[in-house]
Each structure stands twice: as structure tokens, then as C-alpha cells.
């Protein structure tokens, strides 16, 4: 699987990225160079620094785990410089899907390197027995020109983007478009507080808001794990087909430990359904080692059987309020939402999130 392969450019090859023990190790230079490639690609494609890579966190995230197998390869030129990166992930409880991504420095695109990396990504997915490869591309929200509409009916990606052209050329089809939005803590949270008060009154006594900084309280960890498992099946997915994921308390604890090892902080806002004790909704916020950088919204979900009670507003608003108290140095929060997820977009827009980047979600039958 990790054999070096030739691509049709003299002196350019693809091989495994050696993972050092730490970013300070003597053999960490390749990892740092690969992180720089991804940062440069993200800045070019998105027009923002939202996707900059923090190498120490990234190193933890590249390791294969009990629940996911990861393969990391790099393209090198004739001088042995890293010019591109490939990451493939296969969930161990899945059978069909693989998720892959490729990154090439913007100055070196158009030479076939990205095509070769994506072809290798497809080969590796097949080698792992997967029949569908998912990937994504970030594009500036304001990029002009003709657009390819999402099959979900809302959202589109610019055809002029080189990454869009790459995926179409390789036979991928657009499955969904997501909006990347940002909430700036320089703006007042007063509106979020008013929205929270109104939503709590609407929800009524059957629903109780809870908040924790990881680890999850023992009394909620099972319900939280079940709610997380519903993310794969209950969020809008357009033409994409996600496999169910098995989440239990053990898997939650495992993820919490990985976050701690990476130096990240994670906090969860949830709503408990008092009559049953179930977790009816949740929202997750995470920040990396640098507490002065932007935070990221991970999962947000209101279980279908509990919708219509303003629970999404509760977890979003309370989450932002408590997060700013916990990490006051983080300037903003970034979140992804499917363009057809109008309910959650309404909540985000009302509280003050602003569109920043467009993300195309793609798939290819292998």
C-alpha cells in the first residue's frame, strides 16, 4: 500500500508521509512541509485563513485509530521537495465509503500533480475495499462566473475554480453544497441571549439545557453518544449517502482523549428531554492549542422526534455564550451547514453568523 509510485512527470513521485513522534522531532521536517502545503492551499482556495493547519494537532489527527484508518501520502518533485498531500480515511464500522482529500501548492497546480494524487486516492480506496469515494473543495464565496448547481436544489460551486475542474475531470459528481459561516465575538452576544430566553420559554418544562466542557458527565454520555450516531443519517445530505456510525460511551471517551492529547478544548451544549432522559439536541465547539485562533463548530443536531421546540436555537445560543466565557481569547467560530438546511441557517443568520466560504461535497463511484 505504501510503495512509491511514479506519476507522469520526470522526477515526481508519490510515497507515504513518515509521521514523527512529535513536531519537534528531528524527522518532523516533512510533516511541517506538508502542513504548509495544506495551509497555502486553504488560503488560496477559500480566501481566508480559517483552514490553516496547526502541525501538532494535525499530527494527532493523522494517526489511525480504533475507529478509523488513515493513509497519508505526499507528492515529491525531483529535488525531493513536498509539492502535494493526499489523505484517505476509512471508518472501520463502514463498508462502502471512503473520504479523501488532496492538496497541491497553488503555484504548482495545472501540472498534473493534483490529478495523480486524486488517482492514487481512488486506488487506495479500492484497495481498502471501498466503492464510493467522497471528497470536497473549498471555493471563495464571491468567485464570479458560471456555477454548477447543487442537486439538492440550493447552493452552487463556481465552475471557474481549478478544484471544481479537477473533480469534474476525474469523474466526480457534486452531491451537495455547504456554506461555511463565521460568528465574530466582536459582535454583541445580547441578541443571542434574547433568542435563548425566547427559545427556552417556547421549549417548556419538558426540556432542560445542559452544558459541559469535556469529558461528558456520566449521566449524559450514553444519550449524547446516541445523538452523535444520528448525525450520519439525520442531517441533510443531498445526493450523498453516508453509512451509519456506531457511537457509544466508549467511543465518546476515546474521542475526548484524542482531543486532550491534541491539546484541544471541546465543549458541548445539549438539551435533555426530562420525561425520558434522552439527549434531544446537541452542539459541539472545539478550539486548538492556540486559544487566540478561531474556534470550530463540530456537530449540531436536533433529533427529528424532538423538532419544533426551538431546541436548535437553545444549543446554538447557549453554546456561543458559554464558549465565550470559557475561551474569551478566541475571536470567532466557524461552522458548516448544508445550503438546504434552512432551519439551521435561519438560526445561524439570526444569531449573527455571516457567510464566508462555499464548500462543494463530491462523490465518485469506484
Amino acid at each position: 500500500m505504501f510503495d512509491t509510485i511514479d506519476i507522469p512527470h520526470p522526477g515526481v513521485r508519490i510515497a507515504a508521509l513518515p509521521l514523527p513522534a512529535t513536531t519537534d522531532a528531528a524527522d518532523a521536517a516533512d510533516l511541517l512541509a506538508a502542513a504548509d502545503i495544506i495551509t497555502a492551499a486553504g488560503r488560496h482556495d477559500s480566501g481566508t485563513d480559517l483552514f490553516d493547519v496547526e502541525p501538532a494537532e494535525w499530527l494527532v489527527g493523522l494517526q489511525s485509530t480504533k475507529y478509523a484508518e488513515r493513509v497519508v501520502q505526499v507528492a515529491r518533485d525531483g529535488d525531493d521537495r513536498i509539492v502535494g498531500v493526499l489523505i484517505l480515511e476509512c471508518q472501520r464500522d463502514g463498508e462502502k465509503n471512503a473520504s479523501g482529500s488532496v492538496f497541491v501548492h497553488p503555484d504548482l497546480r495545472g501540472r498534473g500533480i493534483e490529478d495523480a494524487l486524486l488517482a492514487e486516492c481512488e486506488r487506495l480506496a479500492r484497495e481498502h475495499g471501498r466503492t464510493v469515494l467522497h471528497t470536497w473543495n473549498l471555493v471563495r464565496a464571491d468567485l464570479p462566473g458560471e456555477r454548477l448547481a447543487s442537486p439538492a436544489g440550493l447552493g452552487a460551486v463556481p465552475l471557474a475554480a481549478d478544484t471544481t475542474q479537477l473533480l469534474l475531470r476525474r469523474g466526480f459528481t457534486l452531491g451537495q453544497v455547504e456554506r461555511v459561516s463565521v460568528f465574530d465575538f466582536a459582535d454583541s452576544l445580547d441578541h443571542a441571549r434574547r433568542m435563548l430566553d425566547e427559545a427556552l420559554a417556547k421549549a417548556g418544562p419538558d426540556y432542560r439545557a445542559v452544558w459541559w466542557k469535556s469529558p461528558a458527565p456520566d449521566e449524559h454520555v450514553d444519550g449524547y453518544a446516541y445523538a452523535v450516531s444520528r448525525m450520519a443519517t439525520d442531517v441533510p445530505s443531498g445526493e450523498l449517502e453516508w453509512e451509519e456510525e456506531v457511537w457509544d460511551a466508549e467511543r465518546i471517551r476515546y474521542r475526548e482523549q484524542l482531543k486532550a492529547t491534541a491539546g484541544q478544548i471541546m465543549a458541548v451544549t445539549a438539551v435533555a428531554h426530562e420525561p425520558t432522559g434522552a439527549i434531544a439536541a446537541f452542539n459541539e465547539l472545539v478550539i486548538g492549542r492556540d486559544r487566540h485562533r478561531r474556534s470550530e463548530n463540530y456537530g449540531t443536531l436536533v433529533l427529528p422526534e424532538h423538532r419544533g421546540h426551538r431546541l436548535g436555537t437553545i444549543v446554538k445560543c447557549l453554546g456561543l455564550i458559554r464558549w465565550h466565557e470559557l475561551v474569551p481569547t478566541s475571536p470567532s467560530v466557524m461552522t458548516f451547514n448544508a445550503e438546504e438546511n434552512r432551519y439551521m441557517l435561519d438560526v445561524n443568520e439570526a444569531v449573527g453568523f455571516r457567510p464566508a466560504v462555499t464548500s462543494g461535497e463530491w462523490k465518485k463511484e469506484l
Side-chain angles (χ1 to χ4, degrees):
M1 178 171 62
F2 296 119
D3 292 342
T4 296
I5 67 166
D6 292 326
I7 59 177
H9 302 277
V12 180
R13 66 195 188 282
I14 297 175
L17 172 66
L19 297 182
T22 70
T23 55
D24 297 324
D27 59 347
D30 284 349
L31 177 92
L32 299 177
D36 286 344
I37 291 284
I38 298 178
T39 292
R43 291 191 173 193
H44 174 270
D45 294 341
S46 73
T48 74
D49 62 0
L50 292 171
F51 305 95
D52 287 6
V53 173
E54 202 291 319
E57 293 172 42
W58 189 51
L59 175 59
V60 176
L62 292 178
Q63 309 286 344
S64 291
T65 70
K66 180 178 179 180
Y67 298 98
E69 182 176 1
R70 297 184 178 96
V71 178
V72 190
Q73 298 196 343
V74 291
R76 299 177 184 271
D77 67 11
D79 295 321
D80 208 37
R81 295 175 304 179
I82 293 175
V83 294
V85 184
L86 173 166
I87 304 170
L88 183 78
E89 179 175 306
C90 297
Q91 294 294 318
R92 298 191 191 276
D93 55 4
E95 298 179 350
K96 181 174 66 175
N97 294 341
S99 295
S101 50
V102 300
F103 309 88
V104 174
H105 194 284
D107 295 342
L108 299 175
R109 294 180 183 177
R111 306 180 186 186
I113 300 171
E114 54 267 51
D115 292 82
L117 282 168
L118 201 49
E120 174 66 354
C121 196
E122 294 170 23
R123 187 190 72 79
L124 288 168
R126 292 189 188 96
E127 190 173 89
H128 282 75
R130 304 306 166 111
T131 57
V132 179
L133 178 61
H134 292 271
T135 192
W136 48 273
N137 71 322
L138 298 170
V139 290
R140 294 171 178 258
D142 60 352
L143 195 66
E146 187 179 355
R147 292 175 177 262
L148 176 64
S150 167
L154 292 170
V157 293
L159 281 168
D162 57 8
T163 52
T164 300
Q165 291 299 313
L166 166 68
L167 293 167
L168 291 172
R169 185 166 65 244
R170 290 295 312 173
F172 283 77
T173 58
L174 183 64
Q176 186 180 45
V177 172
E178 291 197 313
R179 180 190 305 183
V180 183
S181 304
V182 175
F183 179 84
D184 190 339
F185 282 115
D187 297 335
S188 173
L189 282 166
D190 288 346
H191 187 55
R193 294 185 181 96
R194 289 192 295 270
M195 289 177 62
L196 175 61
D197 289 342
E198 293 170 1
L200 288 169
K202 169 68 175 178
D206 281 353
Y207 293 99
R208 175 172 55 91
V210 293
W211 180 93
W212 64 80
K213 175 186 172 184
S214 292
D218 289 342
E219 65 180 296
H220 293 306
V221 67
D222 290 320
Y224 171 47
Y226 174 72
V228 171
S229 75
R230 299 281 291 270
M231 283 289 295
T233 56
D234 290 0
V235 299
S237 56
E239 294 296 312
L240 307 175
E241 298 179 14
W242 299 109
E243 297 176 278
E244 292 189 28
E245 295 182 2
V246 178
W247 282 82
D248 54 18
E250 180 182 356
R251 187 166 181 175
I252 291 291
R253 298 297 186 218
Y254 187 86
R255 182 174 69 163
E256 290 171 342
Q257 183 57 53
L258 289 178
K259 295 295 179 191
T261 301
Q264 298 173 316
I265 295 175
M266 183 173 185
V268 178
T269 307
V271 175
H273 184 235
E274 293 283 53
T276 63
I279 294 296
F282 72 93
N283 181 67
E284 303 162 325
L285 291 173
V286 178
I287 192 168
R289 295 179 179 221
D290 184 349
R291 312 297 194 228
H292 292 83
R293 290 197 61 227
R294 63 105 179 104
S295 304
E296 185 172 352
N297 195 130
Y298 276 22
T300 302
L301 182 68
V302 179
L303 274 65
E305 56 268 33
H306 294 283
R307 292 176 183 170
H309 301 282
R310 303 283 300 277
L311 305 188
T313 299
I314 292 172
V315 296
K316 181 67 67 167
C317 292
L318 181 58
L320 289 171
I321 293 165
R322 293 299 303 271
W323 186 255
H324 192 48
E325 296 170 356
L326 179 67
V327 194
T329 51
S330 180
S332 60
V333 171
M334 174 182 72
T335 190
F336 284 72
N337 297 101
E339 285 287 359
E340 66 270 25
N341 189 356
R342 180 33 59 187
Y343 171 75
M344 207 62 237
L345 286 173
D346 283 345
V347 173
N348 286 341
E349 290 167 1
V351 79
F353 279 85
R354 298 182 180 92
V357 183
T358 296
S359 177
E361 311 297 319
W362 302 75
K363 70 174 183 178
K364 182 176 181 177
E365 304 283 343
L366 301 177

